[in-house]
Amino acid sequence: MRAYAEMKTGEILDQLKDANDNHTSTINFMYFAYNYPPNWIYKVWRDDTNLCNHLLAKMRGYSGNGTENFFKFFMELSDNNKARLCNWIEANYKHQ
């Protein structure tokens, strides 16, 4: 990457846009963790009622605040279910 002083304005704007696009997923994930909607587990895993019930019971079993519980929940998911949740957030949740 060249120093900004050597770049044209358009190149700088393109790099800033790319950086912002790369961070959008992380920003949306963090907003979701802070403000997740009711029944979100049923929306993410709607095709597997048993898994929904298991995950909901797990989430309800935590003590602490909502955001802390969300992070505990996330870290205990399998890699496949972490990816599924991240993909769902990316497709369905946009912070305001």
Side-chain angles (χ1 to χ4, degrees), residues 5-69:
E6 300 172 5
M7 299 174 72
K8 296 178 183 173
T9 302
E11 290 176 307
I12 294 170
L13 293 176
D14 287 344
Q15 282 198 1
L16 291 174
K17 181 186 177 304
D18 289 345
N20 187 48
D21 290 346
N22 290 336
H23 299 297
T24 300
S25 295
T26 303
I27 292 167
N28 283 336
F29 181 88
M30 295 303 289
Y31 271 99
F32 183 85
Y34 193 71
N35 298 299
Y36 54 85
N39 299 321
W40 61 274
I41 290 174
Y42 289 113
K43 294 174 183 177
V44 177
W45 288 279
R46 67 179 171 263
D47 61 335
D48 189 338
T49 304
N50 289 331
L51 183 57
C52 283
N53 291 333
H54 167 72
L55 294 174
L56 186 59
K58 179 181 282 224
M59 186 71 169
R60 287 180 177 160
Y62 295 131
S63 61
N65 70 47
T67 303
E68 178 184 354
N69 291 345

